[in-house]
Structures are given as C-alpha cells and as structure tokens.
Amino acid sequence: MAETTLTRTQEDQWITQGQVFQIYSHFDNLPPTQQYLRLQLFRDEHIEFLTKGLRYLAPSFSVLDANRPWLCYWILHSISLLGDSVDDDLEDRAIDFLNRCQDKNGGYGGGPGQLPHLATTYAAVNSLVTLGGQKSLSSINRGKLYSFLLRMKDKNGGFRMHDGGEIDVRACYTAISVASILNILDDELIENVGNYILSCQTYEGGIAGEPGSEAHGGYTFCGLATMILIKQVNRLDLASLTDWMVFRQGLEGGFQGRTNKLVDGCYSFWQGGASALIQRLQSIVDEQVLVSDEVEEIESDSSKSSADLSEEEHCLSGTSPHADEHCSNEKDSAGLQNPSDQVNSDWFGVSSIGTRGNAEIEPLFHCIELQRYILLCSQVEGGFRDKPGKYRDHYHTCYCLSGLSVCQYSWSSNVDSPPLPAAVFGNYSKNLLEPIHPVYNIVFERYKEAREFFMLPS
C-alpha cells in the first residue's frame, strides 16, 4: 500500500487539533472547583495588559507605526467590552493623538503626518466613539471626512483604501460604516456599492475581498455589514452565505477564516458577528429560499413553454423581457428588493434578536463551544491569542472579546436585557461582557451616544 503523504496544511491541522484537544482533556479531568476557576475571564489581567499597551509599547511594535489608530481601537474597545474605561489623563492623550492623525483635508492616517487611509479612519472614528463625550466626538471634522470619502469613491462603485490604493470590500465597509455612524451617509456615497459587493460573493457563498478571489471571513463580515447599512442586504444570496459561514466552525469549537484553513480566535467575531447579523435577517433568508424553490419548480415543469408562463413566473425565472423593470417593482412591494421597511442599522442593536414572529430562533453556530475555545484556548493571563502556541496581542484580544460578547447575547430577546445564565459559559458574573452593536463592533451604549450626538446639526 502506498504511503499517504500529508500536505503542510493537513499537518498543521492535526497539530492544532492535538493541542486544542489536549487542553480540553486536561480541563475535563480537573476537579469541578478548578474547572470553575479556569473558566473565569481574567478581567484584571486583561485590563492591565490593555492599559499598559495604550501607555507604552516596546520598540518591537515599530512595525505597526502606520497602524497606531488601530492599536487605540483594539485596546479601547476591549476595555469598554470589559465594562471599564481609561482615566481622564489617558483619555485626553488618546483624543489629542487621534486629532493629530486627522488630515487637514479629511480622514485619518496611521500616525501624525501620515497619508489618510480608510482603515485607520475607521479605527480612529471607532476609538473616538468608544471614548465618547463632547471633546472626543466633536474632534471629528465630519465635513472634511465626507470629502475624503468622496475622493476615495471609485467609478465601479467601490472605494479605494487611500489615494492610488487598492479597491476592496474592506474599503467599502470602513467608508460606509464611518459615514453611517457620523450621519453623513448619502446617495452619492452609496451609489453602485451594492453592485461591487455582489461581484465579490463567490460560488461558495462567502464574500471575497475583490472579484475573483477566495471567500474570506473578514471580507464576508465587511460585505454583509455594508449591504445592511445601505439597505440592500437582500440582494446577496443569504442562504448560500449562511451555509458557507456555519461550516467554518470547526471541531475545535472556534472558527476558521477560509475553507481548509486553521482555527483562529479573531474569527470569533468576523464569522460569529456575521452569523449574528444573519440571525437577524432570517425573515429575508426565508423569503429568498421560498423564491428559489418556486424558480426550481417552474424550471422543472417541462409541460409549460415560456410563452405559457404568467408574468409573475417570468419574473421568478428571469425570462421576462421587462424583468428588470417589472420584477423590481414586484419585489419592492413584497419587501424583497428594497428591504428598508424591514432592515435598518438601528434595528440590529435595539430590536428583537433572533425572532421569527413570536418564535425564537436558535443561534446559527454553537455558541457554547465557541466560548469554550475562546476561554480555554485563546485566553492567557492578560490578553488573547490566535490559537495555542501563538503569542497574545491586542488585535486578537479585541476580536476574541467581541466574539465572546456576540456569543453571550445570541439568545437574548433584547439588547437591554441581560442574557440568561445558560447562554454564558463559565462564571456568569465574571464573564459577562458589554453588548455590542454587531454592525459597527462598538459597545452599544457608545453607539447610542454617538447616534444622538451626530443627529445634531454640524
């Protein structure tokens, strides 16, 4: 018999699974009292690690010189998720630093004097929203920022990350998210964005960074959230997107970012957050599946010729010569083509979570298993990591905590109501985090403050 040779990816997968299952086996053999202690969120240690990072970073962090607003966001958002905040001095220093990153012509660079960039603009705005308060929020020059967003807009509908930069789904999300939370989103910014996002949905169902690339968890979240914000989410094939997404949760309990890749703690939010968004779109998914079933029934009915089809059936099958005009109107009236009456960004934070009428919808992924992976395999005593064998960092700390929050509130009927104890893995009082607005990944109370603040005239 020929010897089977494993690929490098297969070898890495076996190693990772072995490390994870060894941790789980060790945990399962602990006495109940030690299990209880091991499942606690190390709040004090995490806050110490995060606060220290905001005050001082070692010279090795110089490679992230163009990402300093991101470091602010990852740290400040993590602290906010833990229900804490920085002191007044550190808050003032953070606001001053981010203000110096703001370009005179709009947008934020990776540091003072650096080129404005959509990614660091998103990070800076989210940081300032997370800090909250008059001084922080009023420091954002919305007029100049709007001009910057328009300059980044490409004729194909997408956005460039910076002058002469790449066009991708990440750029679309960061631009639209910032415009939305600052209340400067308009038709000119939205124009053709939906078409660009649609061109990036792959045969697998997930969304790629750009047309023709591989579906990816981060880009899937960005594309889905963008389509929600511009009220065109029903244009995506949500059923296939859901299938692709739920199969990214692996044996370890955590999520992988792409097909046949390793588990990674950061996808606890990118995939888990996208799942939370889809959960709130279940009525639209159901309607899409119904339409798809009707199309299949029409196509399989060989006894009917195209000439015998009713106008409605022509719409469903796409054979009507006036399909674009007539069927669009029909879908509008059904609430499919323009779901603005059903979906708005505020609804994703304050209205019913996971309901179909009066019936509760279960989360689309195994929330307890994901929490177990985050707490036992990603958490260290002060920060979180990608997976066993990796080092902690602020990025994974931010997105592991964000994913943990998504898990904890996935069964809740309302964001203002605390989750049931059964939804929180481990010590309820120690582990419960603040709820986030899953479209923006901002703690919900800070989102509400910003929304009210920016409703005022400029």
Side-chain angles (χ1 to χ4, degrees):
M1 180 180 294
E3 183 178 344
T4 302
T5 302
L6 297 177
T7 66
R8 175 63 183 272
T9 299
Q10 289 172 320
E11 289 178 352
D12 289 344
Q13 177 61 32
W14 282 112
I15 292 171
T16 300
Q17 281 184 205
Q19 291 173 323
V20 169
F21 295 151
Q22 185 177 8
I23 291 172
Y24 290 162
S25 177
H26 174 72
F27 172 80
D28 291 340
N29 290 322
L30 290 175
T33 53
Q34 291 188 34
Q35 287 186 348
Y36 183 76
L37 292 173
R38 181 64 183 86
L39 284 178
Q40 289 186 16
L41 196 63
F42 306 141
R43 284 179 177 270
D44 293 342
E45 291 85 350
H46 296 325
I47 290 173
E48 181 182 356
F49 165 67
L50 292 161
T51 305
K52 182 180 177 181
L54 202 57
R55 292 185 183 279
Y56 170 80
L57 291 172
S60 60
F61 281 86
S62 61
V63 295
L64 296 176
D65 181 65
N67 292 276
R68 283 183 279 173
W70 277 113
L71 287 162
C72 290
Y73 169 61
W74 297 332
I75 292 171
L76 291 169
H77 178 55
S78 297
I79 292 172
S80 184
L81 276 165
L82 291 164
D84 209 338
S85 59
V86 297
D87 61 38
D88 291 344
D89 175 66
L90 203 50
E91 178 178 320
D92 287 342
R93 287 167 57 190
I95 294 170
D96 176 67
F97 167 73
L98 291 169
N99 200 38
R100 288 187 286 116
C101 294
Q102 189 168 202
D103 189 81
K104 64 180 181 179
N105 294 315
Y108 292 78
Q114 294 187 24
L115 185 75
H117 192 286
L118 276 176
T120 47
T121 296
Y122 167 86
V125 169
N126 273 18
S127 296
L128 292 165
V129 168
T130 298
L131 288 170
Q134 173 74 27
K135 181 178 180 180
S136 179
L137 298 178
S138 62
S139 72
I140 304 169
N141 189 327
R142 290 195 294 160
K144 295 283 188 178
L145 199 152
Y146 176 79
S147 298
F148 169 66
L149 296 180
L150 276 184
R151 293 200 307 273
M152 296 305 101
K153 178 86 173 165
D154 190 78
K155 62 183 179 181
N156 71 359
F159 286 84
R160 294 186 180 277
M161 294 303 302
H162 56 85
D163 283 331
E166 68 274 26
I167 302 169
D168 58 28
V169 169
R170 175 187 50 150
C172 294
Y173 170 67
T174 50
I176 296 298
S177 175
V178 163
S180 173
I181 203 163
L182 296 181
N183 196 25
I184 56 175
L185 186 61
D186 63 7
D187 291 342
E188 193 169 3
L189 289 175
I190 290 172
E191 185 178 5
N192 288 329
V193 171
N195 292 337
Y196 181 79
I197 301 293
L198 281 179
S199 72
C200 297
Q201 186 168 22
T202 77
Y203 72 94
E204 289 185 278
I207 298 173
E210 57 187 5
S213 295
E214 182 183 8
H216 182 282
Y219 291 117
T220 296
F221 171 85
C222 289
L224 178 62
T226 301
M227 294 296 267
I228 288 168
L229 290 171
I230 65 174
K231 297 183 173 66
Q232 296 180 29
V233 69
N234 70 298
R235 297 181 64 194
L236 291 169
D237 184 345
L238 294 173
S240 66
L241 191 155
T242 303
D243 284 345
W244 176 83
M245 195 164 49
V246 297
F247 280 106
R248 301 285 69 76
Q249 187 170 24
L251 294 170
E252 305 91 343
F255 279 103
Q256 59 181 189
R258 293 176 285 158
T259 304
N260 294 327
K261 296 298 181 180
L262 302 181
V263 66
D264 186 333
C266 71
Y267 293 107
S268 301
F269 175 74
W270 297 123
Q271 302 285 26
S275 297
L277 297 180
I278 286 286
Q279 185 176 327
R280 293 155 169 81
L281 298 169
Q282 196 59 49
S283 62
I284 297 177
V285 177
D286 290 345
E287 289 182 66
Q288 284 191 350
V289 171
L290 178 62
V291 170
S292 178
D293 290 344
E294 290 177 353
V295 170
E296 289 181 6
E297 183 178 344
I298 291 168
E299 290 177 344
S300 65
D301 188 355
S302 58
S303 65
K304 279 191 174 184
S305 67
S306 178
D308 293 329
L309 294 177
S310 68
E311 188 64 34
E312 179 183 1
E313 290 167 333
H314 271 299
C315 285
L316 294 173
S317 63
T319 59
S320 170
H322 306 291
D324 288 343
E325 176 184 351
H326 178 76
C327 300
S328 175
N329 293 333
E330 289 295 320
K331 290 181 179 179
D332 281 347
S333 64
L336 281 173
Q337 183 65 25
N338 182 2
S340 58
D341 292 335
Q342 300 180 46
V343 178
N344 61 71
S345 61
D346 199 37
W347 173 66
F348 279 78
V350 299
S351 204
S352 275
I353 298 178
T355 60
R356 185 194 284 115
N358 293 322
E360 188 177 64
I361 295 177
E362 294 185 14
L364 296 175
F365 61 98
H366 202 306
C367 294
I368 296 299
E369 287 300 307
L370 180 56
Q371 291 181 69
R372 182 170 75 146
Y373 177 80
I374 294 171
L375 291 171
L376 295 180
C377 299
S378 286
Q379 180 177 224
V380 296
E381 292 190 11
F384 289 78
R385 59 189 179 182
D386 165 351
K387 61 176 69 65
K390 301 290 186 178
Y391 294 102
R392 67 181 181 178
D393 59 64
H394 302 101
Y395 168 83
H396 284 93
T397 299
C398 170
Y399 291 109
C400 283
L401 286 172
S402 298
L404 197 59
S405 174
V406 165
C407 288
Q408 292 174 349
Y409 291 87
S410 60
W411 284 90
S412 300
S413 59
N414 192 289
V415 74
D416 293 322
S417 303
L420 295 173
V424 178
F425 192 53
N427 187 319
Y428 186 90
S429 61
K430 286 275 190 179
N431 292 1
L432 184 62
L433 298 171
E434 296 296 313
I436 62 169
H437 192 304
V439 173
Y440 304 99
N441 195 19
I442 293 172
V443 166
F444 192 69
E445 286 302 315
R446 299 284 72 78
Y447 159 77
K448 287 200 298 185
E449 180 189 4
R451 186 175 180 274
E452 292 170 4
F453 184 88
F454 293 119
M455 288 295 288
L456 300 174
S458 301

